[in-house]
Amino acid sequence: MRRPRNILALSGGGAYGAYSAGFLNGWTKSGTRPELDVVTGISTGSLIAPFAFLGSDHDARLGQLYTRVQATDIFRIRAWVSIPFTDAVASSAPLRHLIETEISQELMERIAAEHRKGRRLYVGTTNLATRRLVIWDMGAIACRPCPEGCHLFRDVLLASCSVPGMFPPVPFEVEVDGKKVRELHADGGVTAQLFVPSHVFAAAAKAAAEEVEKAAPRPGAGVDCTPQAGNLYVVVAGKLYPDATPVKAKVLPVLGATTAAMLYAYCRADLSNLYGQARVAGLRYHLTALRGDFRTVEIAVDFDQKEMAKLFQEGFGQGSAGSAWMSGPPSISPGDGDSIRTGLKLRKAQSPMPVPGK
């Protein structure tokens, strides 16, 4: 792996992936989008990642995927009478077909060629047996001959998007450490909303340290030899905080609200974790997400073409503006930046903790 100067992490978010696709298109238009050394994706981010990895030549195709797709291209609801006896509410056969159509052997050969240059593409899934995140080196898989390599590559993408309960898990028969194993994998967003492998940060830190050593001032040099820091770019497919809406005191609404709260909190925790690792590795941190006052669908699996087109345009506008990046995560620890209810009459007092990048 070559020195990771520019790293991109793409989050999950279902239909909100249209925002990420739009942002990448806008970023290209701004003229500031660099060649990326490492790209990671999870859930809907895993579908965007191969195109982002190959560069701006694939922006148009990415835009078509996220503005022309509809629900019937993603899933097919099963007969209600059969759902209690199946592994999911819907069949992911349409999504599998879409992946097989878009991830051609030619596209994989291009990914393999970039992998041999030292660039890296990673996708995350959740191993249901171990309940842990599994990171797949997609460039290495693309180097395998088809049909084996092609099938595995596409299965990983399908598994990373397979929302538990909604889509069935994907079975794998692979050889790990010389042993054949059978595993079930599901949506990587269950175990991580975003990720960057720790060895990528380690490589960045090592390279930075070597540059510092090489750039040590010499007598009479008279030249600024400060090493160029790398960048971590994070694109969140959605908002950083959920919209406030009334909740009925019923089982399903309460479960829905609490699940959403947990997912958003996990995302912010992952953002803070990446921020800390980036600082240690000497990388500049850049974050973008859908603005909080943007009104759109509340359900990430509602693949409405009009709403996805709106999300795409919003992302395109932010990306092309060139100044949409935040320089820090929304919070370092739970409660930072939030209002505190205090006093006998519960007045709101702003938290004294500063929010990075603000």
Side-chain angles (χ1 to χ4, degrees):
M1 184 177 69
R2 73 190 194 191
R3 178 185 173 181
R5 290 183 180 274
N6 294 298
I7 304 166
L8 172 66
L10 297 161
S11 82
Y16 291 103
Y19 167 81
S20 301
F23 188 90
L24 289 172
N25 275 261
W27 193 7
T28 297
K29 184 182 179 183
S30 73
T32 60
R33 179 175 168 181
E35 181 180 69
L36 300 163
D37 302 298
V38 178
V39 176
T40 74
I42 212 155
S43 198
T44 194
S46 71
L47 299 181
I48 299 172
F51 299 99
F53 179 75
L54 291 177
S56 57
D57 290 347
H58 291 74
D59 282 356
R61 188 60 196 146
L62 194 57
Q64 291 175 355
L65 280 174
Y66 276 89
T67 56
R68 297 184 182 179
V69 73
Q70 50 191 344
T72 53
D73 299 319
I74 306 297
F75 60 85
R76 184 173 60 250
I77 298 295
R78 289 169 169 160
W80 290 106
V81 68
S82 68
I83 288 176
F85 310 101
T86 60
D87 52 5
V89 170
S91 166
S92 58
L95 178 58
R96 178 181 287 277
H97 176 71
L98 180 64
I99 291 173
E100 290 174 351
T101 301
E102 297 299 329
I103 306 300
S104 64
Q105 184 173 346
E106 179 185 358
L107 184 138
M108 288 183 56
E109 288 172 354
R110 291 192 60 186
I111 291 174
E114 295 304 315
H115 177 83
R116 295 187 184 101
K117 294 177 184 177
R119 299 176 64 212
R120 293 294 180 263
L121 170 63
Y122 298 107
V123 164
T125 64
T126 297
N127 184 335
L128 294 182
T130 62
R131 282 76 161 174
R132 297 183 66 176
L133 179 70
V134 175
I135 298 173
W136 303 78
D137 187 337
M138 303 301 281
I141 294 174
C143 289
R144 296 186 180 194
C146 282
E148 177 200 2
C150 294
H151 289 163
L152 181 57
F153 194 102
R154 293 163 181 159
D155 281 350
V156 170
L157 295 184
L158 179 62
S160 186
C161 298
S162 295
V163 180
M166 184 67 182
F167 298 152
V170 178
F172 285 85
E173 291 189 13
V174 292
E175 186 173 304
V176 182
D177 295 330
K179 296 181 180 179
K180 290 187 177 180
V181 296
R182 295 171 60 90
E183 300 172 340
L184 281 179
H185 286 251
D187 190 350
V190 172
T191 43
Q193 295 292 301
L194 296 134
F195 76 95
V196 173
S198 58
H199 75 271
V200 173
F201 286 117
K206 180 180 178 182
E210 290 174 350
E211 285 200 9
V212 168
E213 185 177 351
K214 290 179 182 179
R218 295 176 178 82
V223 178
D224 183 7
C225 297
T226 304
Q228 180 65 43
N231 299 281
L232 170 62
Y233 300 99
V234 184
V235 179
V236 175
K239 300 179 180 181
L240 298 176
Y241 293 88
D243 293 330
T245 56
V247 177
K248 294 182 180 180
K250 303 291 184 180
V251 173
L252 292 181
V254 169
L255 288 176
T258 52
T259 300
M262 286 190 294
L263 291 175
Y264 278 91
Y266 290 156
C267 181
R268 294 193 299 273
D270 287 340
L271 291 171
S272 295
N273 181 35
L274 291 178
Y275 173 73
Q277 293 187 76
R279 289 290 298 272
V280 171
L283 298 171
R284 290 186 290 258
Y285 182 94
H286 312 269
L287 165 66
T288 187
L290 188 63
R291 56 188 172 87
D293 61 350
F294 186 82
R295 296 301 173 189
T296 184
V297 294
E298 296 182 7
I299 304 175
V301 293
D302 186 355
F303 295 93
D304 181 276
Q305 284 187 331
K306 291 183 179 179
E307 291 299 323
M308 292 178 72
K310 285 169 52 181
L311 287 164
F312 182 88
Q313 288 302 322
E314 175 65 18
F316 184 86
Q318 289 196 29
S320 59
S323 59
W325 299 107
M326 296 169 54
S327 60
S331 62
I332 295 296
S333 62
D336 288 353
D338 296 330
S339 58
I340 299 173
R341 293 180 176 178
T342 182
L344 297 178
K345 294 186 178 181
L346 296 181
R347 293 176 293 111
K348 288 184 179 180
Q350 194 65 28
S351 168
M353 296 293 292
V355 180
K358 296 293 185 179

